[in-house]
């Protein structure tokens, strides 16, 4: 195996582990009633209005997204010139914050099934928008989201090595 | 906020449901019991147990006379309020959406439509959920055109209303009123999702379609009822209650959707019935088979074999919807109880009692299932063999009996007879399937049980079977000895038992399950007539060939249902009104059983 192939394999393996951890924390927060933010569900409902199908489809996209972000993290580490769990934790936390502050609030404009507070629900657009910091999905949502993403970054920071 | 007025009678409620949770709606238009997300979770509307434990009312602002009915063959309720100004019609349902349409729907939706049918009527709305059995009050956040989000709960709950509502902070409720003219209607929808982002549904045609799909779902289910005998309306209403209590996600059947509605006003016999009793459920399964609902019967049998694996070979008396075995009893001291009947309990301490009759009921039901064309695989046959061996070990022990007495165990005659039924049916099953059991040993044990019952469970002087060995008291469950084939209904011993029961347990034309002045169940307080026993009496009389007596009794009992055909656990001996947890599967299944016995006797 070449060095590049080994590096890609490492990113894929630890990208998967980090995504699984992130998902476990987010899913646990849902089941414990701390938050109702399910990114796989939000992704899946972009493609189908069938609830269980949306969960399954969303999970596939979410896993692929987790791998994609593992590569992005790797390039960020490379551009900084170092790795480490502390750096991963910091980047992960920023990632979670960006998701909450910038990405999720934009969702109503791009999600075909998301309702708007101005127009109300209409046929085909019925999902409640996340609102500021996704607080519509529970007041602990910002906390659980940042913790989950911080863990994602921590795992990648700790396990990815630069050559 | 206190619900205006005092507690309604239990019979003033009607039930609606979606096979995952149920709501009791009073004849004043107020939802006063509903657990969320599902049957066995904490209540969010609990005014039936404490006037400040949550309600959702829609009612005219002036005095009204009320009439109500279910839309035919459905669990969709319509209440008509006739006021001096006009007539207001309220339609309530828990939505069952048309899943063929690939749309997002909330996991649960309580949909309410209020319409002025004539004249002009002011409508008042008060929405006051209380989380965790009334422990916590909610806050509300207005989400623009999406409605009001209820905060501080673990699921996403949203109220939408076509009537303008405002927050009444001191009372932690949303309230509003509107004057409707003839032909005008308004929708209100309380929807919640357990773990995902909330799905918010539109009103207008869309809401009408959801109501229609709910009506169609129930009607479609009702058309599968194969019963064509007399009293079909009563039988179908009972079947609809059973289906409503049949949890769609597990197959389990609840005994009742409520807790702690007292067996006697102000008394201490207040139990949580939101569980699946093996006994009741076996009878429900049998009823489903009789009415042609094989899918429900198979679903329940699967649940039964799955749920009981944790305790196999021993059966627990009851399990929760998903087979959970720890049902520790707790008291909720902050709830005042229905008309002051304290304590309010959740959980049920009877779950770990020894009640030997459940083995017989289960085995009889499996036997009916097989007679109706069902089959058993080798794993199921092995499980039943294990149960049979367990019965052969246990049957000599004293137990708490069918009535879950809270006193020392006794040698209950009915329990012994049901052990006989268990082994008798096991022997019959072994004739058809490869049940790994020693047939001779089973037959010998059957003979031994019967000999002991005839020796110790029958009193020659009284000419009757008795409730427990050596006692002089009787017990209405002994009427079931004929149903289960232990004794021919026309035999002198059964006839004598019926006479003794009629003589000692009948009060004001209604049969009690046992004498309540002897401390039979460990309580000194009197109780009302246990409704299922009265249907058992009708069934016994029909099977004994006393058709006219059976018919008269059955028809009199049917008249004691509430205005929408529902029964509670008991019937007030003096009032004739429903008393106790409501509506009660055990009573409705007994009604079905009695009606089918009458039908069979008539056609025979």
């Amino acid at each position: 195996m070449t060095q590049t192939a080994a590096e890609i394999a490492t990113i894929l393996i630890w990208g998967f582990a980090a995504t699984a951890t992130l998902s476990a924390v987010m899913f646990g927060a849902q089941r414990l009633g701390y938050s109702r933010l399910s990114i796989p569900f939000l992704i899946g409902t972009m493609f189908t209005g069938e609830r269980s199908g949306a969960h399954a489809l969303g999970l596939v996209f979410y896993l692929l997204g987790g791998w994609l972000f593992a590569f992005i993290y790797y390039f960020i580490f490379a551009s900084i010139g170092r790795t480490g769990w502390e750096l991963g934790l910091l980047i992960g936390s920023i990632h979670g914050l960006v998701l909450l502050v910038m990405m999720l609030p934009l969702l109503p404009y791009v999600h075909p099934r998301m309702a708007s507070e101005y127009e109300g629900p209409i046929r085909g657009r019925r999902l409640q928008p996340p609102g500021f910091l996704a607080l519509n999905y529970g007041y602990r949502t910002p906390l659980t989201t940042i913790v989950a993403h911080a863990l994602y970054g921590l795992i990648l920071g700790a396990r990815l090595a630069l050559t | 906020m206190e619900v205006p007025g005092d507690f309604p009678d239990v019979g003033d409620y009607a039930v609606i449901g979606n096979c995952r949770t149920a709501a009791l709606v009073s004849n004043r238009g107020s939802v006063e019991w509903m657990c969320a997300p599902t049957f066995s979770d904490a209540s969010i509307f609990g005014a039936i147990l404490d006037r400040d434990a949550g309600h959702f009312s829609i009612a005219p602002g002036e005095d009204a006379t009320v009439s109500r009915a279910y839309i035919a063959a459905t669990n969709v309720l319509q209440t008509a309020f006739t006021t001096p100004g006009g007539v207001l019609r309220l339609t309530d349902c828990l939505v069952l959406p048309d899943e063929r349409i690939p749309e997002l729907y909330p996991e649960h939706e309580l949909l309410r439509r209020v319409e002025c049918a004539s004249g002009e009527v002011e409508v008042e709305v008060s929405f006051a959920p209380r989380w965790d059995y009334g422990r916590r009050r909610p806050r509300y956040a207005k989400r623009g055109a999406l409605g009001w989000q209820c905060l501080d709960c673990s699921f996403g709950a949203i109220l939408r209303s076509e009537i303008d509502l405002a927050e009444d902070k001191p009372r932690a409720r949303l309230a509003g009123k509107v004057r409707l003219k003839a032909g005008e209607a308004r929708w209100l929808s309380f929807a919640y999702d357990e773990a995902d982002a909330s799905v918010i549904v539109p009103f207008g045609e869309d809401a009408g379609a959801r109501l229609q799909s709910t009506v169609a779902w129930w009607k479609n289910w009702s058309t599968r009822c194969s019963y064509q005998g007399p009293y079909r309306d009563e039988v179908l209403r009972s079947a609809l209650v059973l289906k409503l209590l049949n949890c769609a996600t597990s197959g389990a059947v609840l005994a009742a959707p409520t807790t702690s509605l007292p067996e006697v006003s102000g008394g201490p016999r207040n139990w949580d019935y939101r569980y699946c009793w093996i006994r009741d459920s076996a009878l429900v399964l049998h009823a489903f088979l009789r009415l042609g609902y094989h899918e429900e019967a198979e679903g329940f049998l699967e649940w039964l074999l799955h749920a009981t694996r944790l305790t196999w070979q021993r059966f627990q008396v009851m399990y929760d919807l998903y087979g959970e075995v720890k049902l520790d009893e707790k008291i909720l001291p902050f709830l005042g109880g229905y008309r002051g009947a304290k304590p309010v309990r959740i959980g049920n301490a009877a779950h770990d009692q020894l009640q030997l009759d459940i083995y017989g009921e289960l085995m009889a039901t499996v036997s009916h299932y097989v007679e109706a064309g069902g089959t058993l695989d080798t794993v199921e046959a092995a499980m039943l063999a294990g149960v049979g061996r367990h019965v052969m070990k246990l049957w000599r022990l004293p137990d708490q009996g069918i009535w879950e007495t809270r006193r020392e165990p006794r040698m209950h005659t009915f329990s012994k007879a049901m052990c006989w039924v268990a082994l008798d049916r096991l022997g019959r099953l072994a004739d058809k399937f490869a049940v790994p059991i020693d047939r001779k040993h089973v037959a010998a044990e059957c003979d031994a049980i019967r000999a002991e019952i005839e020796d110790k469970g029958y009193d020659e002087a009284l000419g009757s079977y008795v409730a427990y060995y050596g006692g002089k008291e009787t017990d209405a469950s002994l009427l079931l000895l004929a149903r289960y084939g232990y004794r021919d209904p026309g035999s002198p011993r059964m006839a004598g038992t019926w006479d003794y029961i009629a003589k000692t347990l009948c009060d004001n034309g209604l049969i009690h399950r046992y004498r309540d002045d002897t401390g039979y169940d460990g309580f000194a307080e009197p109780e009302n007539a246990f409704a299922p026993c009265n249907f058992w009496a009708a069934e016994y009389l029909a099977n004994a060939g006393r058709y006219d007596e059976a018919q008269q009794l059955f028809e009199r009992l049917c008249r004691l249902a509430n205005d929408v055909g529902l029964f509670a656990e008991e019937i007030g001996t003096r009032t004739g009104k429903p008393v106790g947890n409501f509506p009660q599967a055990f009573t409705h299944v007994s009604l079905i059983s009695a009606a089918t016995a009458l039908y069979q006797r008539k056609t025979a």
Side-chain angles (χ1 to χ4, degrees):
Chain A
M1 189 185 284
T2 64
Q3 193 173 4
T4 307
E7 278 174 338
I8 290 173
T10 305
I11 295 169
L12 288 176
I13 289 166
W14 289 105
F16 179 79
T19 307
T21 306
L22 189 158
S23 304
V25 172
M26 298 286 280
F27 187 72
Q30 273 184 277
R31 293 296 138 189
L32 291 170
Y34 292 160
S35 170
R36 287 180 292 108
L37 174 60
S38 165
I39 296 171
F41 180 65
L42 293 180
I43 295 172
T45 48
M46 286 183 165
F47 302 98
T48 175
E50 201 261 311
R51 193 179 277 269
S52 56
H55 276 289
L57 190 63
L59 200 61
V60 171
F61 279 108
Y62 194 57
L63 183 63
L64 294 173
W67 269 324
L68 177 67
F69 270 94
F71 281 97
I72 294 172
Y73 272 57
Y74 180 82
F75 291 127
I76 293 172
F77 292 141
S79 68
I80 294 171
R82 68 183 184 89
T83 60
W85 68 267
E86 302 94 333
L87 183 61
L89 189 77
L90 179 68
I91 295 172
S93 303
I94 293 169
H95 179 182
L97 200 61
V98 168
L99 179 73
L100 288 166
V101 175
M102 294 176 64
M103 294 168 75
L104 286 174
L106 289 176
L107 210 52
Y109 302 104
V110 295
H111 196 299
R113 286 190 171 76
M114 194 156 277
S116 129
E117 288 196 7
Y118 304 105
E119 293 176 28
I122 54 172
R123 188 179 292 269
R125 295 181 80 95
R126 302 172 166 209
L127 270 180
Q128 186 184 21
F132 177 65
L133 293 175
L135 283 166
N136 286 1
Y137 299 161
Y139 71 89
R140 295 191 190 94
T141 301
L143 179 68
T144 57
T145 305
I146 289 174
V147 167
H149 286 81
L151 282 173
Y152 176 86
L154 182 149
I155 291 169
L156 291 178
R159 302 309 305 183
L160 298 186
L162 299 176
T163 54
Chain B
M1 144 74 186
E2 288 207 339
V3 178
D6 199 356
F7 288 93
D9 287 340
V10 168
D12 288 346
Y13 291 96
V15 68
I16 55 174
N18 61 0
C19 305
R20 287 177 290 165
T21 192
L24 293 189
V25 188
S26 79
N27 62 2
R28 301 170 195 165
S30 181
V31 177
E32 298 194 348
W33 180 254
M34 182 168 157
C35 296
T38 63
F39 292 113
S40 51
D41 293 299
S43 69
I44 56 171
F45 301 120
I48 196 169
L49 292 178
D50 187 301
R51 301 315 276 164
D52 193 27
H55 68 272
F56 179 12
S57 76
I58 301 173
E62 52 194 323
D63 287 342
T65 55
V66 180
S67 65
R68 56 186 186 161
Y70 286 107
I71 294 177
T74 75
N75 278 316
V76 176
L77 181 69
Q78 286 195 318
T79 309
F81 301 93
T82 304
T83 72
V87 176
L88 199 64
R89 190 178 299 130
L90 179 64
T91 305
D92 289 310
C93 71
L94 277 156
V95 170
L96 291 159
D98 185 348
E99 289 176 348
R100 292 169 302 178
I101 301 171
E103 257 295 9
L104 283 170
Y105 294 100
E107 287 176 305
H108 306 263
E109 183 189 9
L110 170 60
L111 184 62
R112 316 191 74 184
R113 180 177 193 266
V114 60
E115 176 193 12
C116 183
S118 67
E120 195 173 317
V121 185
E122 187 174 65
V123 183
E124 292 183 353
V125 177
S126 174
F127 174 77
R130 298 288 183 263
W131 312 138
D132 199 10
Y133 296 106
R135 271 193 189 97
R136 292 183 292 117
R137 294 174 159 216
R139 292 176 297 132
Y140 306 95
K142 186 81 171 83
R143 303 292 187 209
L146 298 179
W148 291 88
Q149 183 166 7
C150 306
L151 305 177
D152 309 322
C153 68
S154 60
F155 45 88
I158 290 194
L159 176 75
R160 299 198 72 228
S161 168
E162 287 186 328
I163 297 173
D164 285 338
L165 303 178
E167 187 173 0
D168 176 359
K169 281 191 177 171
R171 294 174 171 181
R173 67 167 186 157
L174 300 173
K177 56 176 75 172
V178 69
R179 181 163 283 278
L180 295 183
K181 292 177 183 163
E184 289 182 336
R186 298 286 186 275
W187 292 97
L188 292 96
S189 160
F190 173 60
Y192 59 93
D193 289 272
E194 295 176 30
D196 291 322
S198 293
V199 176
I200 304 162
V201 276
F203 287 139
E205 282 180 18
D206 209 286
R210 295 198 301 283
L211 177 59
Q212 284 313 312
S213 77
T214 306
V215 169
W217 193 95
W218 285 113
K219 280 186 185 277
N220 187 38
W221 188 84
S222 295
T223 56
R224 287 171 46 210
C225 179
S226 61
Y227 180 77
Q228 296 301 334
Y231 315 111
R232 193 173 189 282
D233 288 349
E234 289 83 354
V235 168
L236 183 58
R237 175 52 50 202
S238 293
L240 282 161
V241 171
L242 299 183
K243 180 59 183 172
L244 186 147
L245 297 174
N246 181 196
C247 177
T249 50
S250 73
V253 180
L254 257 73
T258 55
T259 178
S260 297
L261 294 183
E263 293 176 11
V264 173
S265 188
R269 290 187 186 97
N270 314 320
W271 316 117
D272 189 350
Y273 277 24
R274 295 171 300 156
Y275 299 109
C276 187
W277 266 254
I278 293 288
R279 176 188 306 114
D280 301 23
S281 302
L283 298 172
V284 169
L285 194 154
H286 188 197
F288 278 143
L289 285 173
R290 281 179 171 186
L291 303 181
Y293 291 109
H294 292 262
E295 202 178 296
E296 283 74 7
E298 279 172 28
F300 173 69
L301 195 63
E302 269 177 31
W303 174 86
L304 196 62
L305 296 175
H306 168 76
T308 52
R309 279 186 188 183
L310 286 176
T311 56
W312 187 79
Q313 306 160 348
R314 181 180 70 84
F315 278 176
Q316 197 163 279
V317 175
M318 71 194 83
Y319 297 82
D320 89 343
L321 290 177
Y322 298 99
E324 176 57 55
V325 294
K326 275 188 72 65
L327 311 174
D328 295 340
E329 196 168 281
K330 291 177 198 155
I331 286 172
L332 303 181
F334 51 89
L335 290 177
Y338 175 77
R339 290 183 174 160
K342 294 185 89 167
V344 171
R345 294 181 174 94
I346 55 170
N348 199 310
H351 73 274
D352 58 357
Q353 286 186 351
L354 178 64
Q355 297 177 18
L356 290 169
D357 64 293
I358 59 176
Y359 296 98
E361 276 127 5
L362 176 86
M363 214 65 93
T365 300
V366 174
S367 178
H368 286 303
Y369 172 73
V370 166
E371 282 167 21
T375 57
L376 300 174
D377 60 29
T378 49
V379 175
E380 290 163 345
M383 284 185 75
L384 293 176
V387 172
R389 283 190 288 274
H390 194 59
V391 172
M392 287 190 277
K393 266 191 240 164
L394 290 185
W395 74 264
R396 291 177 178 82
L397 297 178
D399 73 341
Q400 253 79 25
I402 183 174
W403 305 124
E404 302 178 349
T405 59
R406 298 205 175 195
R407 54 174 295 165
E408 78 286 355
R410 291 189 287 199
M411 302 292 269
H412 292 100
T413 306
F414 180 69
S415 299
K416 306 300 177 199
M418 292 311 287
C419 289
W420 178 89
V421 171
L423 298 182
D424 175 71
R425 300 305 192 275
L426 185 65
R428 292 193 212 175
L429 289 169
D431 290 339
K432 289 190 177 177
F433 300 97
V435 180
I437 193 121
D438 180 349
R439 301 274 305 279
K440 283 184 183 168
H441 185 41
V442 170
E445 288 291 283
C446 263
D447 291 344
I449 298 171
R450 184 180 273 277
E452 186 177 289
I453 292 170
E454 297 305 311
D455 180 35
K456 298 177 179 170
Y458 183 78
D459 189 302
E460 292 284 355
L462 297 173
S464 169
Y465 289 103
V466 287
Y468 49 90
Y469 290 177
K472 293 287 180 191
E473 295 177 74
T474 189
D475 160 357
S477 65
L478 295 168
L479 290 170
L480 297 177
L481 298 186
R483 176 202 280 179
Y484 286 110
Y486 175 82
R487 267 287 170 198
D488 184 87
S491 70
R493 288 198 166 197
M494 274 312 299
T497 302
W498 162 247
D499 289 342
Y500 191 51
I501 286 172
K503 184 175 142 192
T504 58
L505 298 185
C506 194
D507 180 13
N508 203 22
L510 293 168
I511 293 171
H512 288 245
R513 46 185 167 176
Y514 42 74
R515 288 278 299 272
D516 57 18
D517 55 353
T518 59
Y520 184 95
D521 62 355
F523 291 93
E525 293 78 7
E527 66 163 19
N528 290 293
F530 197 71
C533 297
N534 289 274
F535 286 109
W536 299 347
E539 182 180 348
Y540 168 75
L541 290 169
N543 287 332
R546 297 160 70 170
Y547 185 84
D548 291 342
E549 284 175 80
Q551 188 181 28
Q552 278 176 16
L553 176 57
F554 184 85
E555 289 180 359
R556 190 160 58 82
L557 292 171
C558 287
R559 288 194 292 273
L560 298 177
N562 78 349
D563 56 333
V564 288
L566 302 181
F567 283 96
E569 181 183 25
E570 300 196 347
I571 301 169
T573 314
R574 299 287 159 240
T575 62
K577 290 180 177 177
V579 177
N581 281 313
F582 179 83
Q584 176 90 349
F586 204 19
T587 309
H588 283 282
V589 82
S590 301
L591 183 153
I592 293 170
S593 199
T596 48
L598 280 163
Y599 181 40
Q600 282 165 359
R601 175 56 58 176
K602 193 176 183 182
T603 51

